[in-house]
Amino acid sequence: MCFLKTDKQVSPTDQFDQWLELLKPTDTLFATEAPVELFPDLDTMPEITSFDIPQTMNEQLMTPETLSPSTVSSPIMSQSVEKTQRKRKQEDVSPELLLKRQRNNEAARKSRERRLQKIDDLSHQVGELTAQNTQLTMKMAVLEAERTLMLEREKNLHKRILELENQLGESHKALLAVGQL
């Protein structure tokens, strides 16, 4: 199985080298990067046969016949190429796939609506909790002030009790002194 179109028979190792050349970045975005050697011991690498190369769906899609020069040479496609490919894809699509896409688009729209609704609900909840937090902070400040006043009053009352006890003690001693005369 040959992946690259050539006029002559090419060994799998040469095919691999050609693929590496195709995959090298040509965009100016990568111009400052140093080249990376993917297989430093390429000469010691065993020869690859077509049976050694797995054919997954992605590899089948990445054959040179399916890749346009713009997709190989540049990671970013121009808008006009994207539009053309989009139109081509829409023309080749089966009705079942169109229905599936329509359902997916509807599900995505509903998901976005739910997400926006959840964001609105959460922002409303944040507003309510912020107001409640402010109210509780004010209530706490008032209660703290009342507590301070109560502690001060308790301290004054305790002092007054001690004064009265001292006066009572002195009066008692005075009465006892008068009674013994």
Side-chain angles (χ1 to χ4, degrees), residues 42-173:
L42 193 57
D43 297 330
T44 61
M45 189 172 101
E47 186 161 321
I48 299 172
T49 65
S50 62
F51 297 109
D52 295 331
I53 302 171
Q55 281 292 310
T56 63
M57 181 60 89
N58 288 338
E59 288 178 358
Q60 290 173 356
L61 295 174
M62 295 297 289
T63 61
E65 294 82 17
T66 60
L67 293 176
S68 67
S70 63
T71 59
V72 174
S73 64
S74 173
I76 301 172
M77 297 173 61
S78 69
Q79 290 181 348
S80 62
V81 172
E82 287 179 5
K83 288 180 183 177
T84 305
Q85 288 180 349
R86 215 177 302 135
K87 287 180 184 176
R88 192 176 312 137
K89 286 180 184 178
Q90 289 175 354
E91 293 170 358
D92 297 340
V93 175
S94 67
E96 295 85 19
L97 187 56
L98 285 175
L99 182 61
K100 184 178 178 181
R101 283 183 184 173
Q102 184 180 11
R103 288 179 184 159
N104 186 39
N105 288 340
E106 183 68 21
R109 184 185 60 75
K110 286 181 180 179
S111 174
R112 285 189 295 271
E113 287 175 359
R114 282 192 307 268
R115 181 176 48 99
L116 290 175
Q117 183 62 42
K118 186 174 183 177
I119 290 170
D120 287 343
D121 292 345
L122 288 174
S123 64
H124 181 69
Q125 186 178 3
V126 164
E128 288 177 351
L129 290 174
T130 302
Q132 185 181 8
N133 189 24
T134 303
Q135 185 181 18
L136 289 173
T137 303
M138 289 171 50
K139 187 174 183 177
M140 185 179 76
V142 168
L143 291 174
E144 187 66 33
E146 287 179 8
R147 180 181 165 270
T148 304
L149 287 173
M150 293 286 189
L151 287 174
E152 187 66 33
R153 185 173 180 196
E154 180 186 9
K155 185 178 170 184
N156 290 337
L157 289 175
H158 186 61
K159 191 188 286 185
R160 179 73 177 139
I161 289 172
L162 289 176
E163 288 174 3
L164 290 174
E165 283 178 352
N166 286 337
Q167 285 178 358
L168 182 63
E170 288 175 11
S171 298
H172 186 59
K173 284 181 190 178

